[in-house]
Amino acid sequence: MTTGALVLVGVPIGNLADMSPRATQALRDADVVACEDTRDTRKLLNLLDVGRKKLIAVHDHNEADMADTIVSLVADGQRVALVSDAGMPGISDPGEKLVAAVSAAGHDVEVVPGPSAAITALVVSGLPAGRFCFEGFLPRKGSGRTERLRHLATEPRTSILYEAPHRVAATVDDLVAACGADRPVALARELTKLFEEVWRGTLGELAEHLAVNERRGEYVLVLGGAPDRRPAT
Ligand code: SAM
């Protein structure tokens, strides 16, 4: 019997050529592929010529329930590859609960790293990358959103946010209100794809830009840190 493992496999964020040979091999070696959308992943496996695999759906709403199933598969000696629709599993996608469950049960967890929109946007933003925070998606409304915006107002490190196209303008407006119009920001759109674009400026300028430009595709906001307001000594 082979040694079972959960294998986190990074996949491209838009450009198939970013799939690493090792990631493709990890999918070939897998007995089962756990994925968010079985139809999308089936297409990816076909494009990569990986061959037919048993697929199981793991998404935000069933990750905790699927943990027992995946622990049993790994305990039976199976290699279970976990992929997201795009990028790295566990980054605003299922992953962390499965890793916690499989490792707590004493089994192996391996990782084959690949692109992530967060790090890709950060490095192309031109904003300080020495120390940074990942915010992911802000809560859509309520006190959770207010609390994160209040935090961003004083966070000195560069912060990375994900946002859906139909909400990006409203989120930038809220960031202007919380952090001020002068805060530096970069908006990375459609990274690694045909219409890749990186816009750089201030939050106030970005709000104006989004008010008149079409908002389509996938977006990452990279927000400069709050200025140091300590009195000079
Ligand atoms: N696990 C993924 C990763 O490692 O980047 C993130 C998944 S999250 C559900 C999807 C969000 O990532 C999108 O709403 C968008 O904010 C960002 N994203 C994914 N691909 C992108 C791309 N090619 N360009 C810009 N943003 C992208």
Side-chain angles (χ1 to χ4, degrees):
M1 191 168 72
T2 55
T3 312
L6 173 66
V7 188
L8 310 171
V9 181
V11 299
I13 56 170
N15 189 326
L16 189 63
D18 292 335
M19 186 76 186
S20 76
R22 191 170 161 241
T24 304
Q25 190 58 47
L27 295 177
R28 290 208 172 102
D29 293 343
D31 301 294
V32 178
V33 178
C35 57
E36 292 181 274
D37 184 313
T38 52
R39 275 189 302 183
D40 283 353
T41 300
R42 182 82 64 204
K43 273 188 221 153
L44 176 70
L45 297 183
N46 287 340
L47 285 168
L48 296 169
D49 210 11
V50 159
R52 251 193 121 65
K53 293 283 167 185
K54 180 178 172 194
L55 301 186
I56 54 176
V58 177
H59 40 73
D60 287 340
H61 304 295
N62 76 351
E63 184 182 355
D65 296 337
M66 288 305 290
D68 286 347
T69 307
I70 288 177
V71 169
S72 305
L73 289 168
V74 173
D76 273 356
Q78 308 228 9
R79 290 184 70 78
V80 181
L82 174 67
V83 294
S84 295
D85 288 346
M88 282 302 289
I91 301 297
S92 293
D93 271 334
E96 65 187 44
K97 293 190 180 81
L98 300 185
V99 173
V102 170
S103 57
H107 304 297
D108 287 345
V109 180
E110 300 171 14
V111 62
V112 181
S116 182
I119 298 298
T120 309
L122 174 68
V123 297
V124 80
S125 71
L127 290 164
R131 294 167 69 232
F132 62 89
C133 307
F134 177 64
E135 280 287 328
F137 293 95
L138 290 180
R140 287 192 197 170
K141 53 188 176 184
S143 57
R145 187 172 176 92
T146 313
E147 191 259 317
R148 293 319 304 156
L149 287 163
R150 200 178 295 142
H151 174 87
L152 287 166
T154 55
E155 171 56 62
R157 293 167 290 186
T158 300
S159 294
I160 306 166
L161 295 91
Y162 286 162
E163 195 47 285
H166 58 286
R167 277 195 290 269
V168 69
T171 291
V172 169
D173 288 346
D174 285 353
L175 287 168
V176 171
C179 307
D182 294 337
R183 184 77 71 91
V185 67
L187 182 68
R189 171 174 172 262
E190 293 287 88
L191 289 163
T192 76
K193 303 187 204 177
L194 188 59
F195 296 107
E196 175 177 298
E197 182 180 57
V198 182
W199 185 99
R200 301 175 186 87
T202 65
L203 275 175
E205 290 164 348
L206 181 57
E208 286 169 23
H209 171 79
L210 290 171
V212 293
N213 283 283
E214 204 178 13
R215 297 178 296 268
R216 273 218 209 142
E218 297 198 276
Y219 290 94
V220 182
L221 275 161
V222 185
L223 182 68
D228 187 352
R229 296 210 189 282
R230 281 173 305 179
T233 49

